[in-house]
Amino acid sequence: MPIASPEVYAEMLDRAKAGRYAYPAINVTSSQTLNAALKGFADAESDGIIQVSTGGAEYLSGPSVKDMVTGAVAFAAYAHEVAKKYPVNVALHTDHCPKDKLDKFVRPLMQISKERVAAGQEPLFQSHMWDGSAVPVAENLEIAAELLDRAAEAKIVLEIEVGVVGGEEDGVENAINDKLYTTVEDGLAMVEALGLGEKGRYMAALTFGNVHGVYKPGNVKLRPEILNNIQEAVAAKYGKEKPLSLVFHGGSGSLLSEIREALDYGVVKMNIDTDTQYAFTRPVADHMLRNYDGVLKIDGEVGNKKQYDPRTWGKLAEAGLAARVVEACEHLRSTGTKLK
């Protein structure tokens, strides 16, 4: 199937919320990690989301180029082509984008999609994230409203963050403290500024103790009930049951019970990066250690071409990541839910 159209993406998200499951959103940084994610979704018979961060997009453009838009466009072009061969629907997404990178990343990409839609084509990406967690809530929502207008014109879903995700990702680091919990007041302010779909479709990454990276048990205090409190407050004010489509950031290492509780409260997308990075790298390390004399030309020997061929260890890496995607689909209840 091709990359999901705006209509298919909307149906994916609606079905997920109604069915109390979520799509793994897998961060990728290369054609190999993209192919592995696609295989994982196909193996799980689950639709899904594949995304690039600002750092991932820069990396995709090449080490001497380092241009986020170039990398993102190249990634999307490749994904649009190879995804046709897989029996699942996949949406392309861009991950965390702070204020100082909007003009170098999200806004240019939205403009490209707007021009494509005006020409009768589908948008290049299906959704983009604006990460306003580092600015005051009022400014966050003001920028979100402007971006939502742009997104609606390009048939794109906007993702915003209201609250703060702790830990570190792509060089952005936040402390683990009380700011990691979105308040009901912030949730109501978000809806007042952005509406409930009439101004354009959006997903909300409301924070309930989320932290990027992996921490030992006890360091991260997740409180999924916060999501339910905000859903109920918005529902009471606007007369809509479970009105928000929510996103779970910083889920690596979370308890399955916490993940499943968040799904019950309206989470339709869960970002997975740290765990899949490890799943991709672990088989490579194993191969190199097991075949040390073959992958290196030691003591004047010639090594073993079959062992240092990048395709040899690359296939192992892809299989590891694909298996982790299958596991993620099982955790998020999306296994076997692909649209026909």
Side-chain angles (χ1 to χ4, degrees):
M1 296 181 185
I3 296 296
S5 67
E7 294 75 21
V8 167
Y9 193 27
E11 184 179 356
M12 285 169 56
L13 299 176
D14 287 341
R15 282 175 49 133
K17 185 161 66 169
R20 297 193 175 196
Y21 62 87
Y23 298 107
I26 307 299
N27 280 70
V28 301
T29 54
S30 65
S31 61
Q32 283 189 303
T33 48
L34 166 63
N35 286 331
L38 287 169
K39 184 180 186 303
F41 285 126
D43 289 347
E45 296 188 341
S46 170
D47 299 321
I49 299 170
I50 297 178
Q51 60 191 24
V52 291
S53 64
T54 54
E58 183 181 273
Y59 181 81
L60 279 157
S61 73
S64 64
V65 177
K66 295 185 177 181
D67 182 81
M68 293 180 288
V69 172
T70 297
V73 171
F75 153 75
Y78 185 86
H80 274 266
E81 195 60 37
V82 296
K84 296 175 184 177
K85 300 295 183 179
Y86 290 86
V88 291
N89 299 285
V90 176
L92 304 182
H93 177 80
T94 61
D95 201 7
H96 293 269
C97 182
K99 181 180 177 181
D100 64 340
K101 294 182 178 178
L102 282 173
D103 287 339
K104 302 174 184 177
F105 192 50
V106 164
R107 288 192 178 110
L109 291 173
M110 282 187 170
Q111 182 62 30
I112 290 171
S113 286
K114 180 180 177 180
E115 292 169 1
R116 285 170 61 98
V117 169
Q121 301 173 295
E122 301 287 9
L124 188 63
F125 282 82
Q126 286 62 61
S127 50
H128 294 291
M129 183 189 178
W130 147 236
D131 182 355
S133 60
V135 302
V137 172
E139 183 182 1
N140 181 353
L141 296 178
E142 182 180 352
I143 294 172
E146 175 253 317
L147 292 172
L148 186 60
D149 288 340
R150 289 176 178 240
E153 290 178 341
K155 298 184 178 181
I156 293 168
V157 176
L158 181 68
E159 179 185 332
I160 70 166
E161 182 171 315
V162 180
V164 177
V165 176
E168 186 273 334
E169 182 176 69
D170 270 2
V172 177
E173 187 167 359
N174 292 308
I176 300 175
N177 54 36
D178 289 344
K179 293 182 179 179
L180 305 187
Y181 304 96
T182 305
T183 66
V184 168
E185 292 73 22
D186 288 343
L188 291 170
M190 175 187 71
V191 175
E192 183 175 346
L194 304 181
L196 286 173
E198 69 277 6
K199 298 179 182 180
R201 183 156 193 153
Y202 67 95
M203 298 180 283
L206 305 180
T207 58
F208 52 103
N210 318 55
V211 176
H212 288 132
V214 175
Y215 292 80
K216 291 182 179 180
N219 283 38
V220 179
K221 306 292 186 183
L222 287 180
R223 295 171 53 198
E225 69 275 9
I226 285 176
L227 302 181
N228 190 45
N229 295 340
I230 295 173
Q231 286 276 30
E232 289 184 344
V234 175
K237 183 171 182 178
Y238 293 92
K240 288 188 176 184
E241 183 180 357
K242 202 157 65 173
L244 301 174
S245 294
L246 305 178
V247 180
F248 188 158
H249 284 255
S252 296
S254 300
L255 296 175
L256 182 58
S257 59
E258 294 170 334
I259 294 172
R260 293 278 174 83
E261 185 180 356
L263 302 184
D264 292 340
Y265 299 149
V267 166
V268 297
K269 171 180 180 280
M270 177 172 165
N271 289 12
I272 302 175
D273 188 14
T274 303
D275 287 353
T276 47
Q277 286 178 354
Y278 184 78
F280 185 81
T281 302
R282 178 65 179 80
V284 179
D286 182 70
H287 175 80
M288 298 302 173
L289 292 172
R290 287 178 182 272
N291 300 285
Y292 190 79
D293 293 342
V295 297
L296 296 176
K297 297 180 179 182
I298 298 174
D299 297 330
E301 294 297 328
V302 296
N304 185 334
K305 183 178 184 300
K306 291 183 178 179
Q307 292 177 350
Y308 61 73
D309 183 337
R311 291 169 294 185
T312 300
W313 49 264
K315 289 175 184 177
L316 298 174
E318 290 180 34
L321 196 157
R324 185 60 182 83
V325 172
V326 170
E327 181 183 349
C329 292
E330 293 171 353
H331 288 172
L332 299 184
R333 303 176 182 149
S334 71
T335 302
T337 64
K338 69 175 183 177
L339 302 182
K340 307 301 182 183

